[in-house]
Amino acid sequence: MILRCATTNAGKLREFHLAAERLGFPQIDIQPLDGLKQIEPCEEDGATFEENAVKKAVYYSRYTADPIFADDSGLEVDALGGEPGVYSARYSPEGTDSENNRLVLERMEGRADRTARFVCVIALAHEGRLAATFRGTVEGRIAQGESGPHGFGYDPLFYYPPFGCTFGEVERERKMRVSHRGEALRQLLDYFFLNFHIE
Ligand code: ITT
């Protein structure tokens, strides 16, 4: 069973590839959408992760006959009123991981309340129609600085108390067991397995 994913983010893609087999669904073959880079990007102007995920999934489902999912995700920092939120990928003017991280740390300087969460919403679509959405979250804290060589995006800033370190300091597999994306993907794969019987 082929399940396509529509993402331009290499970090997300690496986590999706790890997912199906490790989550106990070796029959589901997660493949990127062919030619995604040649397609005009979908505008992500929704006010919520749900709106953007649905928009992306439905948009890209017109380019394949296979079922396809999109992930809209990000970091919500309580002391920053939920920012960067849906603007996570383009929080700084440069929009790079290192500049985004620098800006979060700068805005958090001197703040005692450092609670934050990662949110991931996955939308599944088929032939131009939305099938379902799935949401995962994980609670943590914004560290005082960046640590660790693993992961992507805000992982080096995201201190996860049960691990006693940041997501940047653990292997991808360990992160996926507890992460927002791992949780949303588990729900997606359960749903897909039960509802799509595609030969
Ligand atoms: P696609 O829309 O093509 O999937 P994108 O990077 O633009 O790629 P989003 O709009 O969903 O994706 O933005 C998500 C951003 O949130 C991402 O660029 C990271 O900066 C951050 N993010 C999401 N999940 C993360 C994770 O697991 N670890 C670290 N940062 C994460």
Side-chain angles (χ1 to χ4, degrees):
M1 293 202 290
I2 291 189
L3 174 57
R4 302 268 169 198
C5 69
T7 183
T8 56
N9 182 313
K12 288 185 187 179
L13 200 57
R14 281 194 291 271
E15 294 189 352
F16 295 146
H17 277 146
L18 176 85
E21 208 185 318
R22 302 294 162 86
L23 293 174
F25 296 91
Q27 324 79 330
I28 302 176
D29 184 11
I30 297 183
Q31 298 274 344
L33 176 62
D34 294 328
L36 178 64
K37 291 210 173 90
Q38 277 75 259
I39 300 172
E40 180 74 20
C42 174
E43 210 184 340
E44 295 183 39
D45 55 2
T48 62
F49 295 114
E50 273 79 4
E51 279 180 49
N52 283 335
V54 168
K55 227 182 145 180
K56 286 192 269 191
V58 171
Y59 175 84
Y60 290 110
S61 74
R62 302 199 174 97
Y63 293 88
T64 174
D66 297 320
I68 185 164
F69 69 96
D71 159 321
D72 201 64
S73 47
L75 178 71
E76 288 180 350
V77 182
D78 293 325
L80 302 180
E83 285 186 6
V86 291
Y87 302 105
S88 289
R90 51 206 149 108
Y91 195 42
S92 64
E94 297 81 359
T96 59
D97 288 349
S98 58
E99 286 304 310
N100 291 343
N101 285 344
R102 199 192 51 71
L103 188 57
V104 169
L105 283 177
E106 186 183 299
R107 297 201 168 155
M108 288 300 287
E109 250 170 49
R111 305 263 195 168
D113 171 17
R114 305 189 75 86
T115 54
R117 73 201 51 77
F118 273 129
V119 180
C120 174
V121 174
I122 288 179
L124 174 67
H126 193 207
E127 295 176 335
R129 280 191 306 275
L130 176 70
T133 62
F134 312 93
R135 170 179 263 259
T137 61
V138 61
E139 300 289 328
R141 297 173 54 78
I142 301 302
Q144 297 293 339
E146 296 184 46
S147 319
H150 300 292
F152 67 98
Y154 299 98
D155 282 337
L157 286 191
F158 191 80
Y159 180 85
Y160 182 61
F163 287 169
C165 66
T166 71
F167 272 180
E169 294 175 276
V170 298
E171 297 288 344
R172 195 177 306 145
E173 193 165 348
R174 199 157 171 231
K175 173 186 165 187
M176 283 294 275
R177 279 198 214 125
V178 300
S179 78
H180 52 315
R181 184 160 298 102
E183 170 61 24
L185 266 170
R186 260 187 295 280
Q187 295 173 34
L188 164 72
L189 294 176
D190 271 341
Y191 177 93
F192 183 70
F193 190 72
L194 291 173
N195 293 280
F196 281 73
H197 300 284
I198 291 162
E199 296 306 321

